[in-house]
Amino acid sequence: MISTTRVTSDFDIELQLGSGWFLTALSIMNDNGLLAPPGIPVVIQDVKITFEPGWDLEIRILGFAIPLFAKASLSEDGSELIFETNVPDIGEKRIPFGALKGLAHPPVMKKLPGDEDHEDVICILANLDIHAESQSDEILPDGEFDERGDPEQAQSFLPAGKDVIFGMNKKTFKRFANNIWHTTLRADDGTHPLPDADDKKGEWSKVTMKPEKGKIRITLEGDIPLDSPIIDLVPDPHVTITLLLTPSLTDGRLLFSIETETDIDTGLLGDLFGGLAGAAGRAAVPAGPA
């Protein structure tokens, strides 16, 4: 499920994990002998996200009257999920966490309370490795990123009874457009040429992107100068190209197909498709149980 209306942290994307997700993850760890001390059989009955000071998860174990408490955190590079419990014999447990790829920097983890319509969640907040800086600004060097995101503004949008949800900020669509402007539509000399199959024909002027009825609409605009003795009297033609990206889940990954609403006799569309697919693909994440 993809949502934008309650993604309010200003990070590009949010991955929210509910109690059900952690019950599944910890049960798998336990089944593989990665949770309990050797020789001690453990049956996990329930897992809840808790706001008990210092802890994130309350774990109910069959035969134990007192729950076990655990703290969840991410490794420095965001590649592992780390569990620490209030039972010294269990020790620190780590599991691979490759749910988010192509990030500008390690993600931020934030615990969020729910309400009658939404689950309590542990939220993973992340910015994508894209050039999100404004189209009116110069491109930043690789490895430098436009600062964005405030964890304190995040809120739960995981529907009650669900386990996991992925959310994309509405501003992320504009940031994707900015990335296209600074990369796919940019020549080595820093200009933004509008080519045809053989040569430059004009200049790109701007790119916009927005969600629309389950699809993503990309609009590219450019100007082609007229070679005419009355060029000062006739305005240059303005070219508008509209592309539609349709998201889909394939083998647990979010993928995009691309189509065009524009019929234009030029060789630039084929070149654009590959670049745009690559830019959109940076948002691809494995989907979890819902």
Side-chain angles (χ1 to χ4, degrees):
M1 178 182 232
I2 299 176
S3 174
T4 60
T5 56
R6 290 176 61 92
V7 184
T8 51
S9 69
D10 203 37
F11 281 83
D12 291 339
I13 53 177
E14 298 185 20
L15 181 64
Q16 299 197 351
L17 309 174
S19 297
W21 187 92
F22 285 99
L23 174 59
T24 300
L26 293 174
S27 295
I28 292 173
M29 289 177 63
N30 186 52
D31 292 343
N32 287 275
L34 301 176
L35 188 60
I40 300 179
V42 168
V43 176
I44 299 176
Q45 289 184 304
D46 191 25
V47 176
K48 292 183 179 179
I49 292 174
T50 180
F51 292 86
E52 188 77 18
W55 303 107
D56 299 315
L57 303 172
E58 178 184 305
I59 306 169
R60 291 284 176 177
I61 298 175
L62 182 65
F64 287 78
I66 301 175
L68 179 149
F69 288 94
K71 180 176 179 60
S73 61
L74 287 171
S75 59
E76 288 188 5
D77 62 0
S79 65
E80 292 181 307
L81 193 58
I82 304 170
F83 294 100
E84 300 174 81
T85 74
N86 61 341
V87 179
D89 290 343
I90 293 181
E92 179 183 279
K93 303 296 180 181
R94 291 175 175 243
I95 60 173
F97 186 76
L100 299 175
K101 299 291 186 180
L103 302 182
H105 41 68
V108 175
M109 181 177 281
K110 177 76 173 175
K111 186 166 53 179
L112 304 172
D115 53 33
E116 62 180 11
D117 297 319
H118 301 91
E119 295 281 339
D120 297 338
V121 298
I122 291 180
C123 181
I124 313 298
L125 305 152
N127 286 324
L128 298 169
D129 183 8
I130 58 176
H131 285 283
E133 51 268 31
S134 170
Q135 294 177 35
S136 61
D137 295 337
E138 288 298 314
I139 187 172
L140 292 173
D142 289 341
E144 294 185 21
F145 303 99
D146 182 56
E147 293 294 330
R148 52 198 188 270
D150 180 1
E152 299 305 316
Q153 298 302 313
Q155 61 180 324
S156 172
F157 54 86
L158 177 63
K162 300 296 183 179
D163 295 346
V164 61
I165 191 170
F166 169 74
M168 183 180 291
N169 192 311
K170 286 185 177 180
K171 294 181 182 178
T172 304
F173 295 100
K174 180 179 179 180
R175 293 164 183 166
F176 272 134
N178 294 347
N179 184 66
I180 293 169
W181 174 260
H182 286 300
T183 56
T184 304
L185 303 186
R186 191 182 189 96
D188 291 340
D189 62 2
T191 61
H192 300 275
L194 194 162
D196 69 358
D198 302 311
D199 199 3
K200 172 182 173 180
K201 291 298 182 184
E203 296 282 348
W204 291 111
S205 57
K206 68 176 180 177
V207 185
T208 58
M209 182 184 292
K210 63 180 181 179
E212 181 180 287
K213 297 180 180 179
K215 299 186 178 185
I216 301 171
R217 177 180 293 272
I218 304 175
T219 303
L220 306 101
E221 299 183 41
D223 296 293
I224 300 178
L226 282 176
D227 184 12
S228 167
I230 56 171
I231 192 169
D232 292 334
L233 302 178
V234 179
D236 293 340
H238 191 72
V239 176
T240 300
I241 298 175
T242 302
L243 305 174
L244 291 176
L245 275 65
T246 303
S248 63
L249 283 173
T250 303
D251 296 329
R253 296 190 66 83
L254 178 63
L255 303 176
F256 295 88
S257 62
I258 303 177
E259 57 186 305
T260 178
E261 287 187 346
T262 305
D263 183 15
I264 181 169
D265 185 16
T266 172
L268 63 90
L269 285 179
D271 295 334
L272 284 174
F273 284 159
L276 295 176
R282 292 178 184 270
V285 299

